[in-house]
Amino acid sequence: QVQLAESGGGLAQAGGSLRLSCTASGRTDIISAVAWFRQTPGKEREFVAAIPWSGGSALYADSVKGRFTIARDGAKMLVSLEMNSLKPADTAVYYCAARAYLPIRQLAADYNFWGQGTQVTVSS
Protein backbone atom coordinates (compact mmCIF):
# COMPACT_ATOMS: atom_id res chain seq x y z
CA GLN A 1 0.00 0.00 0.00
CA VAL A 2 0.95 3.60 -0.55
CA GLN A 3 0.15 6.34 1.94
CA LEU A 4 -0.14 9.96 0.84
CA ALA A 5 -0.14 13.01 3.09
CA GLU A 6 -0.98 16.48 1.79
CA SER A 7 -0.01 19.74 3.41
CA GLY A 8 0.06 23.41 2.56
CA GLY A 9 -3.55 24.32 1.98
CA GLY A 10 -5.07 27.45 3.41
CA LEU A 11 -6.47 30.84 2.56
CA ALA A 12 -5.12 33.14 -0.15
CA GLN A 13 -6.29 36.27 -1.86
CA ALA A 14 -7.00 36.37 -5.56
CA GLY A 15 -3.74 36.83 -7.41
CA GLY A 16 -1.80 35.25 -4.57
CA SER A 17 0.10 32.00 -4.29
CA LEU A 18 0.04 28.78 -2.31
CA ARG A 19 2.21 25.69 -2.39
CA LEU A 20 0.83 22.22 -1.72
CA SER A 21 3.00 19.24 -0.85
CA CYS A 22 2.28 15.53 -1.03
CA THR A 23 4.56 13.09 0.72
CA ALA A 24 4.42 9.41 -0.19
CA SER A 25 5.30 6.49 2.05
CA GLY A 26 4.92 2.72 2.06
CA ARG A 27 5.27 0.89 -1.25
CA THR A 28 6.62 3.87 -3.16
CA ASP A 29 8.40 1.47 -5.51
CA ILE A 30 5.09 0.74 -7.26
CA ILE A 31 4.20 4.38 -7.94
CA SER A 32 4.25 5.32 -11.63
CA ALA A 33 2.60 8.75 -11.48
CA VAL A 34 1.31 11.27 -8.96
CA ALA A 35 -1.48 13.71 -9.63
CA TRP A 36 -3.41 16.49 -7.99
CA PHE A 37 -7.18 16.61 -8.24
CA ARG A 38 -9.63 19.05 -6.72
CA GLN A 39 -13.25 18.88 -5.73
CA THR A 40 -15.98 21.30 -4.74
CA PRO A 41 -19.29 20.34 -3.12
CA GLY A 42 -21.68 18.67 -5.51
CA LYS A 43 -19.13 18.29 -8.28
CA GLU A 44 -16.96 15.45 -9.48
CA ARG A 45 -13.29 15.33 -8.69
CA GLU A 46 -11.43 17.40 -11.30
CA PHE A 47 -7.98 16.74 -12.69
CA VAL A 48 -5.44 19.50 -11.99
CA ALA A 49 -1.95 18.21 -12.82
CA ALA A 50 0.09 15.01 -12.93
CA ILE A 51 3.72 14.02 -13.21
CA PRO A 52 5.49 10.71 -13.79
CA TRP A 53 7.09 9.49 -10.58
CA SER A 54 10.39 8.77 -12.35
CA GLY A 55 10.44 12.16 -14.03
CA GLY A 56 9.30 13.40 -17.40
CA SER A 57 6.68 15.68 -18.86
CA ALA A 58 3.85 16.83 -16.66
CA LEU A 59 0.21 17.17 -17.65
CA TYR A 60 -1.99 20.12 -16.72
CA ALA A 61 -5.66 20.95 -16.92
CA ASP A 62 -6.31 23.87 -19.27
CA SER A 63 -7.78 25.83 -16.38
CA VAL A 64 -4.46 25.90 -14.50
CA LYS A 65 -1.92 25.81 -17.32
CA GLY A 66 0.57 28.63 -16.97
CA ARG A 67 -0.42 29.28 -13.34
CA PHE A 68 0.27 25.98 -11.56
CA THR A 69 3.47 23.96 -11.58
CA ILE A 70 3.79 20.37 -10.44
CA ALA A 71 7.21 19.05 -9.46
CA ARG A 72 8.67 15.98 -7.81
CA ASP A 73 11.55 15.36 -5.45
CA GLY A 74 12.35 11.67 -5.64
CA ALA A 75 14.80 11.75 -2.77
CA LYS A 76 12.14 13.18 -0.45
CA MET A 77 9.27 11.13 -1.92
CA LEU A 78 7.48 14.42 -2.39
CA VAL A 79 5.37 16.01 -5.11
CA SER A 80 4.56 19.70 -4.90
CA LEU A 81 1.98 21.90 -6.57
CA GLU A 82 2.97 25.55 -6.84
CA MET A 83 -0.16 27.62 -7.41
CA ASN A 84 0.22 31.20 -8.62
CA SER A 85 -2.22 33.85 -9.83
CA LEU A 86 -4.92 32.17 -7.80
CA LYS A 87 -8.56 32.78 -8.62
CA PRO A 88 -11.69 32.30 -6.51
CA ALA A 89 -12.57 29.49 -8.95
CA ASP A 90 -9.54 27.59 -7.63
CA THR A 91 -11.27 27.20 -4.26
CA ALA A 92 -11.64 23.47 -3.58
CA VAL A 93 -10.38 20.55 -1.58
CA TYR A 94 -7.17 19.41 -3.26
CA TYR A 95 -6.27 15.73 -3.27
CA CYS A 96 -2.99 14.03 -4.01
CA ALA A 97 -3.30 10.70 -5.81
CA ALA A 98 -0.85 8.00 -6.86
CA ARG A 99 -1.12 5.55 -9.72
CA ALA A 100 0.55 2.17 -9.53
CA TYR A 101 2.56 0.59 -12.35
CA LEU A 102 0.71 2.10 -15.33
CA PRO A 103 1.40 5.30 -17.35
CA ILE A 104 0.27 8.76 -16.33
CA ARG A 105 -3.42 9.53 -16.82
CA GLN A 106 -5.92 12.31 -16.12
CA LEU A 107 -8.88 10.30 -14.86
CA ALA A 108 -9.47 9.98 -11.15
CA ALA A 109 -10.59 6.38 -11.61
CA ASP A 110 -7.09 5.49 -12.86
CA TYR A 111 -5.47 6.37 -9.54
CA ASN A 112 -5.14 3.75 -6.85
CA PHE A 113 -4.19 5.68 -3.72
CA TRP A 114 -5.47 8.95 -2.32
CA GLY A 115 -4.61 11.40 0.39
CA GLN A 116 -7.14 12.92 2.77
CA GLY A 117 -7.26 16.25 0.97
CA THR A 118 -6.39 19.81 1.93
CA GLN A 119 -8.64 22.84 1.66
CA VAL A 120 -7.65 25.76 -0.54
CA THR A 121 -9.77 28.89 -0.31
CA VAL A 122 -9.19 31.90 -2.54
CA SER A 123 -10.96 35.11 -1.63
CA SER A 124 -11.79 37.83 -4.11
Side-chain angles (χ1 to χ4, degrees):
Q1 293 294 318
V2 174
Q3 293 79 44
L4 301 171
E6 302 104 334
S7 61
L11 178 64
Q13 290 189 333
S17 299
L18 283 173
R19 184 176 186 269
L20 305 182
S21 296
C22 173
T23 302
S25 60
R27 287 290 311 276
T28 58
D29 58 300
I30 68 173
I31 298 174
S32 56
V34 174
W36 287 95
F37 290 82
R38 64 188 182 186
Q39 190 170 25
T40 54
K43 293 189 177 181
E44 291 187 356
R45 207 159 284 191
E46 174 191 20
F47 172 78
V48 176
I51 191 166
W53 186 243
S54 60
S57 298
L59 298 177
Y60 293 95
D62 288 343
S63 59
V64 306
K65 204 171 292 185
R67 300 188 299 122
F68 291 11
T69 303
I70 189 170
R72 56 172 286 281
D73 183 333
K76 297 181 179 179
M77 300 298 178
L78 183 146
V79 172
S80 62
L81 184 69
E82 187 74 32
M83 304 185 295
N84 298 315
S85 302
L86 283 164
K87 305 175 181 179
D90 294 319
T91 295
V93 177
Y94 283 70
Y95 296 91
C96 175
R99 181 168 164 86
Y101 301 114
L102 297 175
I104 191 171
R105 289 290 187 272
Q106 299 185 29
L107 293 178
D110 289 329
Y111 286 78
N112 309 96
F113 306 100
W114 292 83
Q116 294 297 309
T118 184
Q119 177 70 46
V120 170
T121 302
V122 183
S123 62
S124 58

